[in-house]
PDB file of all heavy atoms in Angstrom:
ATOM      1  N   LEU K   5     141.994 -48.983 -17.886  1.00 98.00           N
ATOM      2  CA  LEU K   5     142.573 -48.102 -16.878  1.00 98.00           C
ATOM      3  C   LEU K   5     143.424 -47.042 -17.560  1.00 98.00           C
ATOM      4  O   LEU K   5     144.255 -47.365 -18.409  1.00 98.00           O
ATOM      5  CB  LEU K   5     143.451 -48.893 -15.901  1.00 98.00           C
ATOM      6  CG  LEU K   5     142.736 -50.013 -15.135  1.00 98.00           C
ATOM      7  CD1 LEU K   5     143.682 -50.621 -14.105  1.00 98.00           C
ATOM      8  CD2 LEU K   5     141.476 -49.495 -14.453  1.00 98.00           C
ATOM      9  N   LEU K   6     143.169 -45.790 -17.197  1.00 98.00           N
ATOM     10  CA  LEU K   6     143.903 -44.681 -17.785  1.00 98.00           C
ATOM     11  C   LEU K   6     144.610 -43.918 -16.671  1.00 98.00           C
ATOM     12  O   LEU K   6     144.091 -43.808 -15.562  1.00 98.00           O
ATOM     13  CB  LEU K   6     142.930 -43.748 -18.519  1.00 98.00           C
ATOM     14  CG  LEU K   6     142.146 -44.406 -19.665  1.00 98.00           C
ATOM     15  CD1 LEU K   6     140.966 -43.547 -20.075  1.00 98.00           C
ATOM     16  CD2 LEU K   6     143.068 -44.643 -20.858  1.00 98.00           C
ATOM     17  N   PRO K   7     145.799 -43.366 -16.982  1.00 97.00           N
ATOM     18  CA  PRO K   7     146.539 -42.638 -15.936  1.00 97.00           C
ATOM     19  C   PRO K   7     145.914 -41.275 -15.669  1.00 97.00           C
ATOM     20  O   PRO K   7     145.377 -40.638 -16.571  1.00 97.00           O
ATOM     21  CB  PRO K   7     147.931 -42.480 -16.541  1.00 97.00           C
ATOM     22  CG  PRO K   7     147.707 -42.474 -18.021  1.00 97.00           C
ATOM     23  CD  PRO K   7     146.509 -43.351 -18.280  1.00 97.00           C
ATOM     24  N   MET K   8     145.949 -40.823 -14.427  1.00 97.00           N
ATOM     25  CA  MET K   8     145.448 -39.481 -14.064  1.00 97.00           C
ATOM     26  C   MET K   8     146.291 -38.942 -12.922  1.00 97.00           C
ATOM     27  O   MET K   8     145.797 -38.698 -11.819  1.00 97.00           O
ATOM     28  CB  MET K   8     143.967 -39.591 -13.713  1.00 97.00           C
ATOM     29  CG  MET K   8     143.228 -38.263 -13.589  1.00 97.00           C
ATOM     30  SD  MET K   8     143.294 -37.214 -15.054  1.00 97.00           S
ATOM     31  CE  MET K   8     141.564 -36.793 -15.259  1.00 97.00           C
ATOM     32  N   GLU K  11     148.031 -39.506  -7.991  1.00 95.00           N
ATOM     33  CA  GLU K  11     147.126 -39.812  -6.888  1.00 95.00           C
ATOM     34  C   GLU K  11     145.790 -40.367  -7.342  1.00 95.00           C
ATOM     35  O   GLU K  11     144.839 -40.397  -6.555  1.00 95.00           O
ATOM     36  CB  GLU K  11     146.896 -38.537  -6.064  1.00 95.00           C
ATOM     37  CG  GLU K  11     148.178 -37.971  -5.481  1.00 95.00           C
ATOM     38  CD  GLU K  11     148.011 -36.597  -4.870  1.00 95.00           C
ATOM     39  OE1 GLU K  11     147.023 -35.912  -5.192  1.00 95.00           O
ATOM     40  OE2 GLU K  11     148.875 -36.217  -4.061  1.00 95.00           O
ATOM     41  N   ALA K  12     145.681 -40.781  -8.611  1.00 97.00           N
ATOM     42  CA  ALA K  12     144.375 -41.228  -9.085  1.00 97.00           C
ATOM     43  C   ALA K  12     144.505 -42.181 -10.267  1.00 97.00           C
ATOM     44  O   ALA K  12     145.550 -42.252 -10.921  1.00 97.00           O
ATOM     45  CB  ALA K  12     143.521 -40.028  -9.481  1.00 97.00           C
ATOM     46  N   VAL K  13     143.424 -42.919 -10.491  1.00 97.00           N
ATOM     47  CA  VAL K  13     143.291 -43.789 -11.659  1.00 97.00           C
ATOM     48  C   VAL K  13     141.963 -43.448 -12.307  1.00 97.00           C
ATOM     49  O   VAL K  13     140.960 -43.267 -11.594  1.00 97.00           O
ATOM     50  CB  VAL K  13     143.277 -45.275 -11.250  1.00 97.00           C
ATOM     51  CG1 VAL K  13     143.098 -46.171 -12.471  1.00 97.00           C
ATOM     52  CG2 VAL K  13     144.541 -45.642 -10.502  1.00 97.00           C
ATOM     53  N   LEU K  14     141.940 -43.338 -13.634  1.00 98.00           N
ATOM     54  CA  LEU K  14     140.686 -43.112 -14.335  1.00 98.00           C
ATOM     55  C   LEU K  14     140.258 -44.435 -14.962  1.00 98.00           C
ATOM     56  O   LEU K  14     141.010 -45.044 -15.711  1.00 98.00           O
ATOM     57  CB  LEU K  14     140.862 -42.030 -15.406  1.00 98.00           C
ATOM     58  CG  LEU K  14     139.577 -41.452 -15.994  1.00 98.00           C
ATOM     59  CD1 LEU K  14     138.793 -40.659 -14.948  1.00 98.00           C
ATOM     60  CD2 LEU K  14     139.883 -40.557 -17.189  1.00 98.00           C
ATOM     61  N   VAL K  15     139.063 -44.885 -14.604  1.00 98.00           N
ATOM     62  CA  VAL K  15     138.552 -46.167 -15.099  1.00 98.00           C
ATOM     63  C   VAL K  15     137.528 -45.874 -16.186  1.00 98.00           C
ATOM     64  O   VAL K  15     136.542 -45.191 -15.932  1.00 98.00           O
ATOM     65  CB  VAL K  15     137.886 -46.968 -13.962  1.00 98.00           C
ATOM     66  CG1 VAL K  15     137.485 -48.352 -14.459  1.00 98.00           C
ATOM     67  CG2 VAL K  15     138.811 -47.073 -12.761  1.00 98.00           C
ATOM     68  N   LEU K  56     135.199 -43.229 -14.332  1.00 97.00           N
ATOM     69  CA  LEU K  56     135.063 -43.157 -12.876  1.00 97.00           C
ATOM     70  C   LEU K  56     136.468 -42.866 -12.347  1.00 97.00           C
ATOM     71  O   LEU K  56     137.412 -43.582 -12.684  1.00 97.00           O
ATOM     72  CB  LEU K  56     134.592 -44.533 -12.419  1.00 97.00           C
ATOM     73  CG  LEU K  56     134.087 -44.780 -11.028  1.00 97.00           C
ATOM     74  CD1 LEU K  56     132.729 -44.126 -10.864  1.00 97.00           C
ATOM     75  CD2 LEU K  56     133.936 -46.274 -10.805  1.00 97.00           C
ATOM     76  N   LEU K  57     136.590 -41.805 -11.559  1.00 97.00           N
ATOM     77  CA  LEU K  57     137.894 -41.463 -11.001  1.00 97.00           C
ATOM     78  C   LEU K  57     138.026 -42.097  -9.628  1.00 97.00           C
ATOM     79  O   LEU K  57     137.155 -41.931  -8.778  1.00 97.00           O
ATOM     80  CB  LEU K  57     138.027 -39.942 -10.880  1.00 97.00           C
ATOM     81  CG  LEU K  57     139.392 -39.455 -10.368  1.00 97.00           C
ATOM     82  CD1 LEU K  57     140.404 -39.408 -11.504  1.00 97.00           C
ATOM     83  CD2 LEU K  57     139.282 -38.081  -9.721  1.00 97.00           C
ATOM     84  N   LEU K  58     139.112 -42.820  -9.427  1.00 97.00           N
ATOM     85  CA  LEU K  58     139.413 -43.380  -8.113  1.00 97.00           C
ATOM     86  C   LEU K  58     140.618 -42.622  -7.585  1.00 97.00           C
ATOM     87  O   LEU K  58     141.715 -42.730  -8.135  1.00 97.00           O
ATOM     88  CB  LEU K  58     139.729 -44.881  -8.209  1.00 97.00           C
ATOM     89  CG  LEU K  58     138.695 -45.747  -8.944  1.00 97.00           C
ATOM     90  CD1 LEU K  58     139.115 -47.214  -8.902  1.00 97.00           C
ATOM     91  CD2 LEU K  58     137.308 -45.572  -8.335  1.00 97.00           C
ATOM     92  N   ARG K  59     140.390 -41.820  -6.529  1.00 96.00           N
ATOM     93  CA  ARG K  59     141.473 -41.016  -5.981  1.00 96.00           C
ATOM     94  C   ARG K  59     141.935 -41.640  -4.677  1.00 96.00           C
ATOM     95  O   ARG K  59     141.109 -42.061  -3.869  1.00 96.00           O
ATOM     96  CB  ARG K  59     140.995 -39.574  -5.753  1.00 96.00           C
ATOM     97  CG  ARG K  59     142.121 -38.559  -5.627  1.00 96.00           C
ATOM     98  CD  ARG K  59     141.592 -37.132  -5.639  1.00 96.00           C
ATOM     99  NE  ARG K  59     140.672 -36.863  -4.543  1.00 96.00           N
ATOM    100  CZ  ARG K  59     141.063 -36.672  -3.283  1.00 96.00           C
ATOM    101  NH1 ARG K  59     142.337 -36.738  -2.966  1.00 96.00           N
ATOM    102  NH2 ARG K  59     140.172 -36.437  -2.350  1.00 96.00           N
ATOM    103  N   VAL K  66     148.272 -46.603  -5.510  1.00 96.00           N
ATOM    104  CA  VAL K  66     147.729 -46.671  -6.874  1.00 96.00           C
ATOM    105  C   VAL K  66     147.837 -48.065  -7.506  1.00 96.00           C
ATOM    106  O   VAL K  66     146.850 -48.564  -8.052  1.00 96.00           O
ATOM    107  CB  VAL K  66     148.358 -45.573  -7.776  1.00 96.00           C
ATOM    108  CG1 VAL K  66     148.067 -45.838  -9.242  1.00 96.00           C
ATOM    109  CG2 VAL K  66     147.821 -44.195  -7.390  1.00 96.00           C
ATOM    110  N   VAL K  69     145.127 -50.347  -6.224  1.00 97.00           N
ATOM    111  CA  VAL K  69     143.803 -49.935  -6.692  1.00 97.00           C
ATOM    112  C   VAL K  69     143.606 -50.375  -8.149  1.00 97.00           C
ATOM    113  O   VAL K  69     142.544 -50.874  -8.516  1.00 97.00           O
ATOM    114  CB  VAL K  69     143.630 -48.400  -6.545  1.00 97.00           C
ATOM    115  CG1 VAL K  69     142.413 -47.908  -7.306  1.00 97.00           C
ATOM    116  CG2 VAL K  69     143.516 -48.024  -5.061  1.00 97.00           C
ATOM    117  N   ARG K  70     144.655 -50.216  -8.956  1.00 97.00           N
ATOM    118  CA  ARG K  70     144.557 -50.642 -10.370  1.00 97.00           C
ATOM    119  C   ARG K  70     144.233 -52.128 -10.453  1.00 97.00           C
ATOM    120  O   ARG K  70     143.340 -52.538 -11.192  1.00 97.00           O
ATOM    121  CB  ARG K  70     145.868 -50.350 -11.106  1.00 97.00           C
ATOM    122  CG  ARG K  70     146.172 -48.867 -11.261  1.00 97.00           C
ATOM    123  CD  ARG K  70     147.531 -48.659 -11.936  1.00 97.00           C
ATOM    124  NE  ARG K  70     147.515 -49.142 -13.302  1.00 97.00           N
ATOM    125  CZ  ARG K  70     147.301 -48.376 -14.362  1.00 97.00           C
ATOM    126  NH1 ARG K  70     147.084 -47.088 -14.212  1.00 97.00           N
ATOM    127  NH2 ARG K  70     147.289 -48.881 -15.571  1.00 97.00           N
TER     128      ARG K  70
END
Side-chain angles (χ1 to χ4, degrees):
Chain K
L5 301 186
L6 300 165
M8 192 57 131
E11 300 170 341
V13 179
L14 194 67
V15 186
L56 192 72
L57 183 82
L58 307 182
R59 199 170 60 76
V66 166
V69 167
R70 293 177 66 96

